[in-house]
């Protein structure tokens, strides 16, 4: 006789089970080790009676030798391994069949992060007192740490740093009073679909340049719909590092066809020289921020070598 183990995901709404799982649950006596299993009310509503028992791997394995038994698994991986060991120890081990009742969808672990953040915001004194303003330094720090791992090519570390950065997004969404993480996700999904008509609509785009042109045209239409005098510079974050800021302003202006003369003789003294260097880097197809960061890293290495030799 078989022992059928029905597994479910805690990240999928209870009751949303596969047809195979429902058939298995109706095929024999159903046992589970938790009276708080989230699926129990839905089994009862479907007319399936489940017995809550003390988890006993040996007893369950022996019973499955005599009759067909369905085990509704919970968060009990250790018990599942114990069942396997107990079954193998029998002279005539039962056939064990695992039936997935529900699967984790891509991105489902983000639900865990939202749940953890909700608990931290409620129960942790430090997390509870944070504001959007107090979290700004951490958002910047985590962003720069992501950048550093990419520049170093340290992709195993990138996974961890992206998690730290994602935490900041979820944290801000939890702090907010007028929206939550679902609203944040819904907003970016709507924007991506709207700005990719060549993927989600009937527009054709055969190259990256065409995609970029469509993107800018859609952004311009969005700005016009909001009213006011639209500008190609709308949306440029003025709080970013100065080199990156100057480079982005120059890119936007060039894309709009602004005369080159507008970028000449900007500022005074060092500011004029720096802006001119950014303009020259743009003309050479270089990222001035990345170039200066590379030079800074080279200087760091020289200083460390000097310290070692001193």
């Amino acid at each position: 006789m078989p022992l059928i183990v029905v597994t479910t995901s805690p990240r999928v709404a209870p009751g949303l089970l596969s047809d195979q799982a429902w058939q298995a649950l109706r095929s024999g006596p159903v046992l589970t080790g938790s009276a708080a299993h989230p699926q129990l009310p839905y089994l009862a509503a479907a007319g399936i009676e489940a017995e809550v028992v003390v988890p006993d791997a040996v007893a369950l394995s022996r019973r499955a030798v005599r009759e067909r038994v369905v085990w509704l698994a919970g968060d009990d991986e250790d018990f599942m391994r114990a069942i396997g060991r107990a079954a193998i120890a029998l002279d005539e081990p039962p056939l064990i069949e695992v039936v997935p009742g529900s699967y984790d969808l891509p991105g489902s672990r983000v639900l865990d992060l939202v749940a953890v953040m909700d608990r931290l915001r409620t129960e942790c004194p430090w997390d509870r007192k944070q504001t959007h303003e107090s979290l700004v330094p951490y958002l910047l720090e985590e962003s720069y740490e992501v950048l550093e791992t990419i520049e170093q090519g340290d992709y195993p570390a990138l996974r961890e740093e992206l998690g730290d950065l994602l935490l900041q997004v979820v944290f801000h969404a939890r702090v907010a009073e007028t929206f939550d993480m679902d609203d944040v996700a819904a907003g970016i999904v709507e924007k991506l679909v709207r700005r990719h008509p060549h993927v989600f609509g009937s527009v054709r785009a055969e190259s990256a340049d065409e995609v970029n042109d469509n993107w800018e045209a859609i952004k311009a239409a969005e700005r016009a719909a909001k009213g006011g005098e639209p500008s190609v510079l709308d949306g440029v974050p003025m709080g970013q590092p100065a080199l990156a800021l100057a480079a982005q302003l120059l890119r936007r202006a060039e894309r709009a066809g602004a005369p080159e003369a507008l970028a000449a003789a900007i500022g005074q003294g060092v500011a004029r020289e720096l802006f001119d260097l950014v303009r020259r880097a743009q003309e050479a197809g270089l990222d001035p921020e990345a170039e200066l960061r590379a030079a800074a890293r080279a200087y760091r290495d020289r200083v460390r070598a000097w310290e070692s030799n001193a």
Side-chain angles (χ1 to χ4, degrees), residues 194-226:
R194 186 171 64 249
R195 292 187 181 179
H196 289 79
H198 56 287
V199 175
F200 302 100
S202 57
V203 174
R204 293 183 62 84
E206 303 296 338
S207 68
D209 288 338
E210 289 182 273
V211 172
N212 189 65
D213 290 342
N214 288 340
W215 181 282
E216 293 301 328
I218 295 169
K219 285 177 63 178
E222 292 172 354
R223 289 193 295 268
K226 293 179 180 179

Side-chain angles (χ1 to χ4, degrees), residues 5-8 31-34 37 55 60 71-83:
V5 178
V6 176
T7 62
T8 60
L31 308 178
T32 188
S34 172
H37 198 294
L60 183 62
W71 179 261
L72 179 60
D75 186 16
D76 47 10
E77 293 185 8
D78 290 340
F79 183 62
M80 293 298 98
R81 286 190 285 268
I83 290 176

Side-chain angles (χ1 to χ4, degrees), residues 216-275:
E216 293 301 328
I218 295 169
K219 285 177 63 178
E222 292 172 354
R223 289 193 295 268
K226 293 179 180 179
E229 290 293 330
S231 169
V232 70
L233 303 182
D234 289 343
V236 174
M238 299 300 290
Q240 62 183 302
L243 283 179
L245 171 62
Q248 187 174 6
L249 290 171
L250 285 167
R251 283 196 302 271
R252 289 283 192 95
E254 179 185 2
R255 194 180 299 145
E260 292 185 10
L262 294 180
I266 294 292
Q268 300 291 328
V270 174
R272 175 182 292 192
E273 295 177 20
L274 287 172
F275 197 88

Side-chain angles (χ1 to χ4, degrees), residues 136-153:
V136 166
Y138 304 103
L139 177 61
L140 294 175
E141 178 182 344
E142 300 301 349
S143 299
Y144 284 126
E145 289 184 358
V146 168
L147 174 60
E148 183 177 8
T149 58
I150 293 175
E151 289 178 339
Q152 295 174 345

Side-chain angles (χ1 to χ4, degrees), residues 67-143:
E67 62 176 322
R68 184 186 189 93
V69 182
V70 181
W71 179 261
L72 179 60
D75 186 16
D76 47 10
E77 293 185 8
D78 290 340
F79 183 62
M80 293 298 98
R81 286 190 285 268
I83 290 176
R85 291 192 296 268
I88 292 175
L90 296 175
D91 293 335
E92 296 183 10
L95 173 66
I96 299 177
E97 178 183 356
V98 178
V99 176
S102 55
Y103 302 84
D104 281 349
L105 297 175
S108 61
R109 296 309 298 266
V110 177
L111 298 175
D112 292 346
L113 177 57
V114 171
V116 168
M117 188 68 251
D118 187 62
R119 185 169 179 180
L120 290 175
R121 183 67 173 171
T122 304
E123 301 179 20
C124 175
W126 188 89
D127 290 275
R128 192 164 52 235
K129 75 173 187 178
Q130 299 309 308
T131 65
H132 292 302
E133 292 74 18
S134 70
L135 290 172
V136 166
Y138 304 103
L139 177 61
L140 294 175
E141 178 182 344
E142 300 301 349
S143 299

